[in-house]
Amino acid sequence: MDLDVFVSAHRAEWDRLDALLRRRRRLTGAETDELVTLYQRTATHLSLIQSIAPDPQLTGRLTQLVARARSAVVGTRRASWRDVTRFLTEGFPAAVYRSRHWWVPTALLSTAVAALLGWWIATHPEVQASIAAPDELRELTRPGGQYETYYSSHPAASFAAQVWTNNAQAAAMCLVLGVFLGLPVLWILFQNMLNLGIGAGLMSSAGRLDTFLGLVLPHGLLELTAVFVAAGTGLRLGWTVIDPGPRSRRTALAEEGRAAIAMAIGLALILFVSGAIEGFVTPSGLPTWARISIGVTAELAFLGYVYVLGGRAARAGDTGDVEEAERSATVPTAA
C-alpha cells in the first residue's frame, strides 16, 4: 500500500470527522449519521495502517481521532455494580478457567520441584550446613522456634495486610513480566518453591514435618494456587508473544494483556482471603485438623468457583476480556 496515496484519498474524510467532533452545537440527524459512518471508516483505516504500513505520526493522529469519535458515538460509560458483579461471576472465573491448561501443570510441576528440594535438603546434612549454622538451624526448627513463631510475630491484622501485599505484588509481577517470554515468571516461581522446599526440608530433618505442614496448609493451599494461576497466566502471555495464533501479535497481546490485568485484580481478592487465613487462622489456638480443614474448604471453594462459574461463563463465550463494545475497532486478519 502506498501510504501517501492512501492519505491523499482519505484525508478529507478524517478532516470532516474532526470538524464534526469540534462542533459546539448539537448535530443534526444527518450529521450524526455522517459522524458514525466516518468513525467506522476511520477505525478501519487505522487498522489497515497499523497492520500494513505503520507510521507513528499518522497512527497517533488517527488513534486520537478514533478515540474521540468513539466517545462521541457510544458516550462515556461509567462502571456500575453490574460490572463488578459480572467481573466476579463471569469475567474473572472465566479467565482463570481458560488458563487452566497452563496453571494446573504449573502447579503440579512446581509442587514436585518443592517436594524434591525438600527431600534433598532433609536427606543431605551438608546441604543443611550450607544454609545455616547448626545452632541457627536448631533455633529455626525447635518447638516454639522461628518457623512456628513467625506467624504470630506481629498483630494478626497487620501481619495479614503485610502478607497480602507481598503476595499480591508477586502475583502481579508474574502476570506483567510474562510478556518477556515468561522467563522472569519461572525465576519468581522457582524462588517461591525454593523457600517452601527449604522450610519443609529443615523441619523434616528435625522430625517435625507434620508441624510444618500444619502451619503451611491452612493458608498455603489457596495462596499457592493463586500464585500458580498468576504464573500460568504469565507463561501463557509469554507464549502469545512467540505464537499469537490466527490473530495478529498486536491483537493477541492486547486481548491476553487485558485479561491478565483483570486477573491481577481478581487474584488480589483471593490473596486477601489467604492473607486473612494466614494472619488469623494459622497462628490461632485451633487444633491442627481444624486449621487445615479451613484451608481445604477455602481451596475447594475457589476450585468450585473456577470450574463451575468459570466453566459455564467460558462455554458461553466469555474470555475474561472487556466487553466487545469497549474494545478497539479491528479488521479481520487472515488465518
Side-chain angles (χ1 to χ4, degrees):
M1 181 177 73
D2 189 318
L3 188 60
D4 291 334
V5 173
F6 187 85
V7 171
S8 297
H10 299 289
R11 176 180 288 138
E13 292 178 309
W14 304 337
D15 291 341
R16 175 59 177 167
L17 176 59
D18 183 61
L20 289 173
L21 292 172
R22 292 177 184 275
R23 286 282 175 87
R24 297 287 183 180
R25 62 174 175 78
R26 186 181 181 89
L27 299 180
T28 65
E31 289 173 334
T32 300
D33 291 340
E34 183 184 9
L35 186 148
V36 172
T37 300
L38 290 174
Y39 158 62
Q40 294 172 337
R41 288 180 183 173
T42 305
T44 302
H45 298 161
L46 175 60
S47 295
L48 287 171
I49 291 171
Q50 288 175 329
S51 61
I52 299 176
D55 177 87
Q57 185 174 358
L58 182 58
T59 298
R61 181 199 170 188
L62 293 185
T63 298
Q64 293 181 357
L65 189 59
V66 168
R68 289 166 53 208
R70 183 184 184 86
S71 178
V73 171
V74 302
T76 302
R77 185 175 178 277
R78 296 183 178 180
S80 65
W81 285 110
R82 173 186 170 276
D83 298 311
V84 176
T85 301
R86 179 192 169 277
F87 172 74
L88 293 177
T89 59
E90 299 177 20
F92 172 58
V96 178
Y97 181 82
R98 286 180 63 244
S99 299
R100 69 192 184 283
H101 297 303
W102 285 89
W103 63 262
V104 170
T106 298
L108 296 176
L109 290 174
S110 299
T111 303
V113 168
L116 287 173
L117 286 172
W119 169 82
W120 182 54
I121 293 170
T123 56
H124 291 75
E126 67 276 12
V127 177
Q128 300 169 28
S130 69
I131 295 174
D135 290 343
E136 294 174 326
L137 293 178
R138 280 193 293 271
E139 179 59 30
L140 283 170
T141 59
R142 68 176 178 82
Q146 293 180 19
Y147 270 123
E148 291 186 41
T149 58
Y150 167 76
Y151 296 101
S152 55
S153 57
H154 297 87
S158 62
F159 183 71
Q162 178 183 350
V163 167
W164 174 56
T165 301
N166 292 339
N167 289 332
Q169 287 177 344
M173 288 176 64
C174 284
L175 292 167
V176 173
L177 297 179
V179 74
F180 297 104
L181 304 182
L183 297 179
V185 178
L186 295 176
W187 175 248
I188 294 171
L189 200 56
F190 176 74
Q191 290 295 313
N192 276 272
M193 294 305 100
L194 179 61
N195 291 333
L196 182 62
I198 290 174
L202 293 180
M203 289 292 277
S204 178
S205 68
R208 307 193 67 231
L209 181 59
D210 56 339
T211 301
F212 179 78
L213 294 177
L215 291 170
V216 170
L217 289 179
H219 64 274
L221 289 172
L222 187 60
E223 177 183 300
L224 286 175
T225 299
V227 171
F228 294 146
V229 169
T233 304
L235 293 173
R236 176 178 179 170
L237 184 61
W239 183 253
T240 300
V241 178
I242 301 172
D243 180 16
R247 303 167 292 181
S248 68
R249 183 168 281 105
R250 183 189 184 94
T251 300
L253 284 175
E255 292 177 358
E256 299 300 336
R258 287 191 299 263
I261 292 173
M263 187 89 77
I265 298 173
L267 289 178
L269 298 175
I270 301 302
L271 288 168
F272 177 81
V273 176
S274 71
I277 294 175
E278 187 169 359
F280 293 94
V281 176
T282 298
S284 71
L286 292 173
T288 300
W289 66 266
R291 288 185 280 112
I292 292 178
S293 296
I294 292 173
V296 171
T297 300
E299 174 73 359
L300 292 177
F302 176 68
L303 293 178
Y305 167 71
V306 169
Y307 278 88
V308 176
L309 289 182
R312 182 188 306 156
R315 287 188 291 273
D318 199 318
T319 64
D321 197 358
V322 297
E323 295 188 33
E324 186 174 359
E326 298 177 21
R327 302 174 198 168
S328 298
T330 58
V331 295
T333 55

